[in-house]
Amino acid sequence: MRSPFPLCISRRAAAFRRRALEPAAGAAYSAVKPPPRAAIDERRTVTLILFLALRSAWRKARVPLLAAFVAMLAWATPASAQYAGLRTLVVPGAEPVTVALYYPTPAVARTQPMGPWRPVVTPGAPVAAAPLKGLILISHGTGGHELGHHNLATRLAADGYLVAALRHPGDNWEDRSMITSGRYFSERPRQVSRVLDALLAHPEWGPRIPAGRIGAVGHSAGGYTVLALAGAQAEPARAVQHCRSVADDPGFCSLGKLTAAPAASSASSPVAPVSSAVGPQDGPLVSVADPRIRAVVALAPMAVVLTPQSLAAITVPVKLVMAERDVVLLGKYHGQHVAAHLPGVDASTVPGAGHFAFMAQSAWPLPSDAGDAAANPEGFDRVAYHATLENQVAEFLGRQWR
């Protein structure tokens, strides 16, 4: 049935035109100015016309508008799974390596208390069907744990990566025997390569890992580890000489029982270090590069032991992040050593941050020889900073494989 509204509009419009064009008796104003009653009718007519026009437009446009709204939602929602699953993998061998595997999953994640850590994960969840963006290996610092960087790992997993965070045998919170084993500089990177071997050969994970999209993130001694995997070479004698000539790098010099020179001494009259198993037994030059690693992020790295020539020869992209108030591994000896000799490195320093700023915030104190790993310098908010760190690392890695 035809709507009565158009007829109503035409009658009112005609009446309005008649009254508007007929001057009132004795009127002194222009004949085209409508009298008060006509003005009211005009407003009603225009309002009604606008209402009907809008109603008609909505009926015609609502389907495409709804489609556009749905498309907008799809654009705003990442294609990859929004959550992180968590499984444990043990790489067998003479020294088994425990690995925390974080991966994308559609299963909703929740905070899971795990000792001092509070990762937001879904243990044992199914793997998302979408292809993985790549594989990222995480190497913790001396005395660390596979959950120590869970915040960064879960972010990368939700972005679509498989993340393998290993617990270094002989250099973790339970066992630090490798530190004085004489094979520290060579064995740490080799443990990461062993995990990579196992994942590529794994029946479930191997076929999912995209060729050429393998990166590594490391903190502190883990920073050394990933730089070594990228091609940097350690010269153990540099560690000995360094600790004989400086007094302000105790975090590094205490690692292998290398005695730092007291404040009164100088480079011209160094104090001989205590006999140490670290260094000489590693060989004159430690070369453990893994060409499968195509991008590296080094966070407050232990780096004075690396030769300038080998740093200059690195060809894979490297992101270097230092902490302004790092008193464990002083930037001038470690991070800045890398920045000065590695061409094209993406280097930055976090204002106010301490050495442990790159670790997840622990729920309780984590005492160590280098201090409380859960503590923060005054005025520094680690949890707030992690949002920035996660975005920077994700953006850097994504840039390599566009």
Side-chain angles (χ1 to χ4, degrees), residues 29-49:
Y29 51 82
S30 171
V32 298
K33 182 177 180 182
R37 177 65 185 174
I40 295 173
D41 283 347
E42 176 186 11
R43 286 194 295 270
R44 288 177 178 174
T45 301
V46 170
T47 301
L48 184 58
I49 291 171

Side-chain angles (χ1 to χ4, degrees), residues 95 140 142-144 167-179:
E95 294 179 304
H140 62 67
T142 296
R167 182 193 306 174
H168 283 279
D171 189 14
N172 57 68
W173 68 284
E174 292 180 306
D175 175 14
R176 302 185 67 190
S177 59
M178 186 171 62
I179 294 175

Side-chain angles (χ1 to χ4, degrees), residues 104-185:
T105 179
V108 177
R110 292 180 174 81
T111 301
Q112 306 287 339
M114 297 180 179
W117 312 112
R118 300 292 185 268
V120 181
V121 294
T122 307
V127 184
L132 293 172
K133 285 186 178 180
L135 165 64
I136 308 301
L137 300 140
I138 295 184
S139 173
H140 62 67
T142 296
H145 192 278
E146 66 270 22
L147 296 178
H149 298 277
H150 65 73
N151 56 309
L152 179 57
T154 54
R155 163 59 189 276
L156 293 175
D159 277 358
Y161 292 94
L162 171 63
V163 182
L166 66 151
R167 182 193 306 174
H168 283 279
D171 189 14
N172 57 68
W173 68 284
E174 292 180 306
D175 175 14
R176 302 185 67 190
S177 59
M178 186 171 62
I179 294 175
T180 54
S181 68
R183 53 192 180 92
Y184 189 78
F185 295 123

